Amino acid sequence: MEGSLVLTLRTPAKINLTLRIGQRRPDGFHDVETVLQSIGLSDTLTFRPTAGPFRVTTSGRDVPADRSNLIWRAAMALWSAAGRDGEPHGARVTLRKLIPVAAGLGGGSANAAGALVGLNRTWALGVSRVDLLRLAATLGSDVPFFLTGGTAVGLGRGDRILPLRPIRRLGVVVIKPAFGVSTADAYRWLDEDRGRGIVDCDESPSGFNVGWPSPLILVNDLEAPVARRHSGIVQAVRAALEAGALAAAMTGSGSAVFGLFAPASAPAAARRLRRSGWVVHATTTLSAGESGRLMSL
């Protein structure tokens, strides 16, 4: 075994404060411009040195523990990048799942980033941060963000991350409806609607103060296409606003919706929003430093 200490870290989820999507590129991806924000809702990864083969165990019923799990893919990419032969071994990873799946909160990507960090230490590989970021981009478009955290803009296919001035502390209430949405479906629905000439009216929603020189306006180009297929998105956004949210929107490709509140107001709002079929979490925004400490960066 390469080490004897058990390492535990937390992998915070993200919300998309904005998500603007361009046309499909020749590589099959879309050009995006998105403002990403870390939040306190997080999974927990525990790394234990072992003498046997690499293993992943999970607490979530809907989360596979086989090689389709992004933790497995991260382990294999890191093992290979470090020049090691054969199958990964010498570590067991336990995932305690709290971030809802198929929700647009980046839980799987956060776990992949956490696996890169944790296994780099557990296996005593000494892979640099620059190389970890390069590996992260091969695992998924938003995986690099989770090695940065805080407030950042994602460009290209979302994997080019540029840190932004932190927003002020806000309470966040996450609503996960009973249904999930796959990223592939959400982008396909967007392309279908655009192909049919369906263009959403810009209602010019009012912005709100996040501590930047200009107000922030929440906008997500995937929200309307997904809401046309799942009316629960509209219901969750309306409910968050009726509960006093400063603003509310779908995150990523859905199906989770978030409302932004004054920090002290979020817990009470979450209690009011609990209803059958919805999973509701109250949390806060995180700075890059706070996110990094949870991730042991």
Side-chain angles (χ1 to χ4, degrees), residues 225-273:
V226 173
R228 290 188 188 99
R229 282 81 178 177
H230 292 287
S231 61
I233 300 295
V234 175
Q235 294 167 8
V237 169
R238 286 176 178 168
L241 293 172
E242 289 170 0
L246 301 169
M250 188 181 81
T251 179
S253 56
S255 61
V257 163
F258 65 93
L260 300 177
F261 294 81
S265 302
R271 289 192 293 271
R272 292 195 298 272
L273 285 165

Side-chain angles (χ1 to χ4, degrees), residues 67-227:
R67 291 170 185 260
S68 65
N69 189 300
L70 276 171
I71 295 172
W72 252 106
R73 290 177 53 196
M76 291 189 288
L78 184 62
W79 189 262
S80 176
R84 302 211 169 179
D85 297 325
E87 292 284 301
H89 60 265
R92 184 180 76 202
V93 182
T94 302
L95 167 63
R96 185 166 64 84
K97 196 73 183 157
L98 187 61
I99 302 171
V101 300
L105 294 163
S109 295
N111 296 159
L116 291 175
V117 173
L119 291 172
N120 191 35
R121 293 193 179 184
T122 300
W123 286 332
L125 298 177
V127 176
S128 70
R129 177 178 174 81
V130 170
D131 286 336
L132 288 181
L133 283 165
R134 179 182 56 79
L135 286 175
T138 69
L139 297 169
S141 296
D142 58 0
V143 179
F145 167 72
F146 294 99
L147 296 176
T148 302
T151 310
V153 63
L155 301 172
R157 60 184 179 91
D159 59 335
R160 186 156 65 92
I161 303 300
L162 303 174
L164 294 175
R165 175 180 171 179
I167 66 172
R168 67 184 174 94
R169 175 82 71 188
L170 289 167
V172 182
V173 175
V174 175
I175 302 170
K176 169 60 171 65
F179 59 90
V181 176
S182 76
T183 300
D185 282 345
Y187 276 87
R188 177 169 55 82
W189 295 335
L190 173 68
D191 289 340
E192 288 175 356
D193 287 358
R194 285 178 171 175
R196 294 170 182 154
I198 301 174
V199 178
D200 294 301
C201 296
D202 184 1
E203 299 178 357
S204 299
S206 59
F208 64 102
N209 174 32
V210 294
W212 287 350
S214 300
L216 175 69
I217 298 175
L218 300 188
V219 59
N220 182 342
D221 287 344
L222 292 175
E223 183 172 327
V226 173

Side-chain angles (χ1 to χ4, degrees), residues 264-288:
S265 302
R271 289 192 293 271
R272 292 195 298 272
L273 285 165
R274 298 189 196 283
R275 61 195 64 183
S276 178
W278 285 5
V279 176
V280 181
H281 294 279
T283 185
T284 65
T285 56
L286 297 179
S287 68

